Amino acid sequence: MYKVKVFVTLKESVLDPQGSAVKSSLHRMAYHEVSDVRIGKYLELTIDGPAESLDHRIQEMCHKLLSNPVIEDYRYEVEEVVAL
Amino acid sequence: MYKVKVFVTLKESVLDPQGSAVKSSLHRMAYHEVSDVRIGKYLELTIDGPAESLDHRIQEMCHKLLSNPVIEDYRYEVEEVVAL
């Protein structure tokens, strides 16, 4: 069994209005040291499948459903979980 | 300057309807090996501030604005960025 952590972020060139809103809020709350905020998605998938095709299948899922490749980048980390 | 990566996740005991919807979609797309999906937020903050108060200030921001401590957990990683 694998636990896969997927991070989906907006590409650098894409505006992030949600991040700007959070930054403004932080400034209003006197956290003026925050100079930038970017917001993305974080997904944890639990996968029961063979190790061989794992990377390929994860990349497919990210491309087809979990991210929008036009405006978003993704990266992921795979962790093997030993069943107790 | 610091880059702070914040991960906000729903507590284990809280239902994640968005995660369930993504899981169902993955199953419909024949990714039956995915047994669970949990969805959270991923934030990247850029902070120009003194190192001493950094941890304390980040925890405050997470508590007050970036997460809802009633239903969410958070964790973060700090990375020092050397200006070029």
Side-chain angles (χ1 to χ4, degrees):
Chain A
M1 202 166 78
Y2 300 91
K3 177 153 269 178
V4 180
K5 298 175 178 179
V6 181
F7 308 88
V8 179
T9 48
L10 284 170
K11 287 184 198 283
E12 280 297 325
S13 56
V14 178
L15 280 178
D16 180 1
Q18 200 189 354
S20 304
V22 168
K23 188 176 95 171
S24 304
S25 297
L26 288 170
H27 285 187
R28 274 196 301 278
M29 294 163 74
Y31 297 107
H32 298 290
E33 70 267 43
V34 178
S35 60
D36 193 34
V37 179
R38 302 283 288 179
I39 298 187
K41 276 179 295 184
Y42 170 64
L43 298 98
E44 283 182 357
L45 311 182
T46 307
I47 298 186
D48 292 305
E52 307 83 60
S53 55
L54 195 63
D55 269 314
H56 175 69
R57 303 270 292 175
I58 295 169
Q59 286 163 22
E60 256 185 16
M61 292 182 219
C62 287
H63 257 93
K64 291 186 186 167
L65 184 75
L66 306 180
S67 76
N68 175 350
V70 178
I71 57 166
E72 291 172 331
D73 290 322
Y74 68 86
R75 61 190 176 81
Y76 62 89
E77 292 166 7
V78 179
E79 217 171 81
E80 192 164 357
V81 180
V82 182
L84 296 176
Chain B
M1 201 165 78
Y2 300 91
K3 177 151 271 179
V4 180
K5 297 174 179 181
V6 181
F7 309 87
V8 179
T9 48
L10 283 171
K11 287 184 197 284
E12 280 297 327
S13 57
V14 177
L15 281 180
D16 180 1
Q18 200 189 352
S20 304
V22 168
K23 189 177 92 172
S24 304
S25 296
L26 287 171
H27 285 187
R28 274 196 300 276
M29 293 162 73
Y31 296 108
H32 298 290
E33 69 266 43
V34 178
S35 60
D36 193 36
V37 179
R38 303 281 289 176
I39 298 188
K41 276 178 296 186
Y42 170 65
L43 298 97
E44 284 182 357
L45 312 181
T46 307
I47 298 187
D48 292 305
E52 307 83 60
S53 56
L54 193 64
D55 270 313
H56 174 69
R57 304 270 290 175
I58 295 168
Q59 286 164 21
E60 255 185 16
M61 291 181 219
C62 287
H63 258 94
K64 290 186 187 168
L65 184 74
L66 306 181
S67 77
N68 174 351
V70 177
I71 55 165
E72 291 172 330
D73 291 323
Y74 67 86
R75 61 189 175 80
Y76 62 89
E77 292 166 6
V78 179
E79 216 172 83
E80 194 164 355
V81 180
V82 181
L84 296 177

